[in-house]
Amino acid sequence: MQKICIPKEEFQQRIDKIKEYMTKEQLDVILVYGDEYRKENLRYVSNYWPIFERGALLITTEGEPIVLCAPEGEQVAREMSVWPDVRLVPDFLCVTVPDEIEYPLAKFTSFKSLAAELRSRTGLSRLGIAGMDAMSEALLHNIREAFGCQVVDSNEILFELRKTKSENEIACLREAARIAEAGFRAMMDADLVGKTERYAAGIAEGTARKEGAEAIIFTVFGSGERSARIVGRAENKVIEDGDMLMCAMAVQYEGYVVTCELPFAVGNYGEETRYVLDVLIHAAAAGLPYLKAGVPMKDFVCAVRNYFRDAGLSEYDVYPPLHGIGCAEAESPYPDEKTEDVFREGMTVNTDISLFGLPGGSNRIEEGFVITKDGADSLFPSMRVYYEEWLKNSENK
């Protein structure tokens, strides 16, 4: 069976598009920064993802890109990166400590020597940085000093390129969703009453790893009264009969992240809890017809929020109900009721339809979709069946 991944040819296409932007903006070099916490841009252009260190990709208008990393991550960089030219820079050492760490076997280069090399290759009057907002002030200062040229923020090019997904990217997202759904289902099917939240989260996370998850980016968890914590962590609280369970698990596969969150309750739950589940599922159904290429993004947002308004629940609706997904768990677009942009074919989005603070408990729906010209294609087919059956049963009551 062929592995689902992004081929090198597609990485080359991304670099070519960036070079077109560089020519248009008169940029000689773009430095794409990343670390373990803000990996998305660097992963997108190189496939490299640092572990507790920093990394970057230097892109010039001529020649192949240069991967920059730190000594402990060198082999990881050589293993993961689609670009073979890997250099070590001392500025990218461990993110979390101020101490100077000695690496006597490392063969370091420097930003200054890199700048001299690039200056001789293509000239160096304007340097673009993608990920400037994720850098420390000290690191940005060192780069400015070493390159000695005009530095501009080039985040927007990466944000724009990442908005629309290729067939390979969508395939990676589908696999991430399959894995996430398998983990979530294993947790839902388990007898959780009397178990701790961490035990329940462990079922989902462990199953996802067994199914091939590259990483669990996060697991948000809360049961009973703790379900009202919008981004709460799983604790040692014991799950009780009738508790609402608010769990969102973000799974990464080949650099692509999908979050699975199906709202549910355990055991013999009451009518107030059932009402919360019911209104969330109906609000999601109200928005679904607007997830379609050519439709203004605000139409989806308004449909969901108007449903909550009509139900008198606006005070529990705490943030917009949709965002993009891809190399980050949440990325552009992140529309609100005023966003004029329209959905484009090939966009991938995640609903984030939530109510927090109701008497019956708090929860949200997170379901990934691929935008097509005919509508929205769910990344979670069995979850979609669950919602459709709920709606059908609700109509028959």
Side-chain angles (χ1 to χ4, degrees), residues 170-181:
I170 292 170
C172 288
L173 286 165
R174 288 192 189 281
E175 182 63 4
R178 182 196 69 77
I179 293 167
E181 192 172 50

Side-chain angles (χ1 to χ4, degrees), residues 151-395:
V151 176
V152 298
D153 189 337
S154 296
N155 265 351
E156 190 57 36
I157 178 58
L158 271 299
F159 289 148
E160 190 59 35
L161 284 177
R162 287 166 43 206
K163 279 184 183 178
T164 304
K165 307 302 190 292
S166 69
E167 290 184 6
N168 290 317
E169 290 179 288
I170 292 170
C172 288
L173 286 165
R174 288 192 189 281
E175 182 63 4
R178 182 196 69 77
I179 293 167
E181 192 172 50
F184 207 92
R185 279 292 181 184
M187 178 185 64
M188 286 185 69
D189 292 343
D191 181 7
L192 300 179
V193 176
K195 305 296 194 305
T196 67
E197 293 176 350
R198 288 178 178 173
Y199 178 94
I203 294 172
E205 293 174 4
T207 301
R209 278 291 196 178
K210 290 176 184 177
E211 289 290 325
E214 179 179 64
I216 309 299
I217 298 302
F218 62 73
T219 301
V220 171
F221 204 104
S223 63
E225 292 184 358
R226 291 194 73 254
S227 65
R229 286 148 181 78
I230 298 172
V231 290
R233 299 183 187 276
E235 295 292 347
N236 281 321
K237 176 196 172 293
V238 173
I239 297 168
E240 299 178 13
D241 183 43
D243 272 356
M244 176 77 87
L245 259 64
M246 184 276 298
C247 176
M249 183 172 66
V251 168
Q252 179 172 296
Y253 174 83
E254 288 296 309
Y256 288 82
V257 186
V258 171
T259 300
C260 179
E261 183 165 16
L262 189 156
F264 73 106
V266 296
N268 302 299
Y269 57 90
E271 189 58 33
E272 285 184 329
T273 297
R274 187 191 181 282
Y275 173 72
V276 177
L277 300 175
D278 187 69
V279 75
L280 283 169
I281 293 171
H282 277 84
L288 188 57
Y290 301 98
L291 291 179
K292 184 178 180 179
V295 174
M297 296 178 189
K298 66 181 181 181
D299 289 0
F300 173 87
V301 179
C302 289
V304 173
R305 306 202 98 166
N306 286 339
Y307 188 91
F308 290 148
R309 288 189 187 101
D310 292 343
L313 298 173
S314 289
E315 65 181 291
Y316 307 107
D317 175 18
V318 297
Y319 55 77
L322 187 80
H323 56 73
I325 51 173
C327 291
E329 189 276 336
E331 60 182 44
S332 296
Y334 210 133
D336 58 24
E337 291 173 281
K338 298 179 181 179
T339 301
E340 297 294 339
D341 290 346
V342 300
F343 291 113
R344 303 199 300 254
E345 190 172 358
M347 280 185 169
T348 51
V349 297
N350 208 72
T351 59
D352 200 338
I353 299 166
S354 62
L355 291 171
F356 287 94
L358 276 76
S362 303
N363 225 311
R364 67 187 143 219
I365 290 175
E366 296 203 59
E367 181 181 7
F369 290 94
V370 180
I371 301 297
T372 75
K373 63 181 180 179
D374 300 316
D377 183 12
S378 177
L379 296 173
F380 295 98
S382 72
M383 285 175 61
R384 183 100 305 267
V385 170
Y386 176 92
Y387 296 135
E388 296 298 335
E389 289 180 349
W390 181 288
L391 293 167
K392 187 185 298 184
N393 292 334
S394 180
E395 291 173 1

Side-chain angles (χ1 to χ4, degrees), residues 1-265:
M1 182 176 177
Q2 187 174 1
K3 182 181 178 182
I4 301 169
C5 64
I6 307 298
K8 182 173 181 179
E9 294 76 20
E10 189 160 319
F11 283 100
Q12 183 63 61
Q13 291 167 9
R14 295 171 183 179
I15 298 300
D16 291 343
K17 289 179 181 178
I18 291 172
K19 288 182 177 182
E20 291 176 8
Y21 171 84
M22 292 171 67
T23 300
K24 179 181 176 182
E25 296 297 319
Q26 297 182 317
L27 294 171
D28 302 299
V29 181
I30 282 185
L31 184 149
V32 181
Y33 172 81
D35 55 40
E36 185 168 10
Y37 313 102
R38 289 292 303 276
K39 67 187 187 309
E40 55 270 17
N41 284 336
L42 181 57
R43 189 76 189 267
Y44 183 80
V45 295
S46 71
N47 200 45
Y48 172 48
W49 174 26
I51 301 175
F52 67 74
E53 295 175 327
R54 302 172 177 91
L57 189 73
L58 284 172
I59 304 169
T60 62
T61 53
E62 302 292 335
E64 282 201 343
I66 301 170
V67 177
L68 305 181
C69 65
E72 290 188 62
E74 180 180 3
Q75 294 307 315
V76 173
R78 294 190 183 280
E79 181 178 56
M80 295 186 70
S81 172
V82 296
W83 311 113
D85 190 350
V86 177
R87 318 276 185 96
L88 306 183
V89 289
D91 306 75
F92 283 176
L93 295 175
C94 184
V95 175
T96 58
V97 300
D99 310 78
E100 290 190 13
I101 306 171
E102 292 185 4
Y103 290 95
L105 302 181
K107 296 180 179 179
F108 285 113
T109 186
S110 67
F111 285 138
K112 190 172 183 179
S113 62
L114 285 164
E117 177 183 339
L118 298 177
R119 190 172 286 109
S120 66
R121 186 194 296 184
T122 62
L124 189 55
S125 59
R126 277 169 59 87
L127 166 69
I129 297 181
M132 187 184 298
D133 58 326
M135 287 182 179
S136 68
E137 184 178 350
L139 177 59
L140 180 57
H141 172 78
N142 289 348
I143 292 172
R144 287 182 186 275
E145 288 291 307
F147 281 81
C149 64
Q150 184 182 7
V151 176
V152 298
D153 189 337
S154 296
N155 265 351
E156 190 57 36
I157 178 58
L158 271 299
F159 289 148
E160 190 59 35
L161 284 177
R162 287 166 43 206
K163 279 184 183 178
T164 304
K165 307 302 190 292
S166 69
E167 290 184 6
N168 290 317
E169 290 179 288
I170 292 170
C172 288
L173 286 165
R174 288 192 189 281
E175 182 63 4
R178 182 196 69 77
I179 293 167
E181 192 172 50
F184 207 92
R185 279 292 181 184
M187 178 185 64
M188 286 185 69
D189 292 343
D191 181 7
L192 300 179
V193 176
K195 305 296 194 305
T196 67
E197 293 176 350
R198 288 178 178 173
Y199 178 94
I203 294 172
E205 293 174 4
T207 301
R209 278 291 196 178
K210 290 176 184 177
E211 289 290 325
E214 179 179 64
I216 309 299
I217 298 302
F218 62 73
T219 301
V220 171
F221 204 104
S223 63
E225 292 184 358
R226 291 194 73 254
S227 65
R229 286 148 181 78
I230 298 172
V231 290
R233 299 183 187 276
E235 295 292 347
N236 281 321
K237 176 196 172 293
V238 173
I239 297 168
E240 299 178 13
D241 183 43
D243 272 356
M244 176 77 87
L245 259 64
M246 184 276 298
C247 176
M249 183 172 66
V251 168
Q252 179 172 296
Y253 174 83
E254 288 296 309
Y256 288 82
V257 186
V258 171
T259 300
C260 179
E261 183 165 16
L262 189 156
F264 73 106

